[in-house]
Amino acid sequence: MLSAHQPFETYPALIREAAHEAGGVAQVAGGVPAMCDGVTQGQPGMELSLFSRDVIAMAAGIGLSHNMFDAAVYLGVCDKIVPGLAIAALTFGHLPAVFIPAGPMTTGLPNDEKAKVRQLFAEGKVGRDELLEAESKSYHGPGTCTFYGTANSNQMLMEIMGFHLPGA
């Protein structure tokens, strides 16, 4: 549903194919709930955002609890999913693991242009339609949110710690 997670739709099949070509077998151990602060702001349940980290950690942990895996691949982005998956990975620290992000989201509107439209909206000089058009152009592709906040910070931290492949 969310553009940040959309690339992951095809990843399990690609991972299975790569494992098969290498003489291995890959299984999906489970999935985790995903929410986006940008989408849930002002909506019922938005306060569940930080609590979702624990649910994500437990969901991933339950998926791995069968003691049938030789390694784990964690697919996730943002400041809820990545920490939750990291907690699960640490719980199952005996399994070699790699985290794979969704890659950077392409943008159609530079941040300075987006800020200008937001300012004009705040001043009442443009309407809601113009604001929504600018916002839609800003985040129009799949991948990790282009906002340089916690989503991208998490991805960079995972790479710095060696959990992502270099350049991910």
Side-chain angles (χ1 to χ4, degrees):
M1 179 190 111
L2 302 169
S3 58
H5 310 138
Q6 186 275 331
F8 292 138
E9 182 177 352
T10 59
Y11 280 27
L14 294 170
I15 292 167
R16 279 191 195 101
E17 183 179 325
H20 180 73
E21 288 175 8
V25 176
Q27 296 289 329
V28 174
V32 298
M35 64 184 302
C36 173
D37 294 333
V39 175
T40 61
Q41 289 299 307
Q43 302 298 318
M46 72 179 230
E47 69 280 352
L48 299 174
S49 175
L50 295 178
F51 294 112
S52 70
R53 289 177 178 164
D54 294 331
V55 174
I56 291 162
M58 285 199 302
I62 290 168
L64 293 171
S65 68
H66 300 92
N67 197 27
M68 296 182 65
F69 304 101
D70 297 320
V73 175
Y74 297 92
L75 307 177
V77 296
C78 92
D79 62 337
K80 277 89 47 204
I81 298 170
V82 171
L85 292 177
I87 292 167
L90 291 168
T91 303
F92 289 85
H94 61 285
L95 294 176
V98 66
F99 285 72
I100 301 177
M105 178 187 289
T106 57
T107 184
L109 189 66
N111 285 338
D112 58 341
E113 289 182 41
K114 179 173 56 173
K116 182 179 177 183
V117 173
R118 287 177 174 174
Q119 181 64 39
L120 291 171
F121 177 77
E123 295 172 3
K125 295 179 180 175
V126 299
R128 182 173 169 79
D129 289 342
E130 290 85 359
L131 175 67
L132 291 176
E133 181 181 349
E135 294 295 329
S136 293
K137 285 181 180 177
S138 298
Y139 306 105
H140 75 280
T144 303
C145 176
T146 57
F147 171 68
Y148 286 110
T150 53
N152 278 329
S153 299
N154 269 265
Q155 302 307 309
M156 290 186 294
L157 180 63
M158 296 302 283
E159 185 172 333
I160 290 165
M161 294 189 314
F163 292 118
H164 278 176
L165 296 174

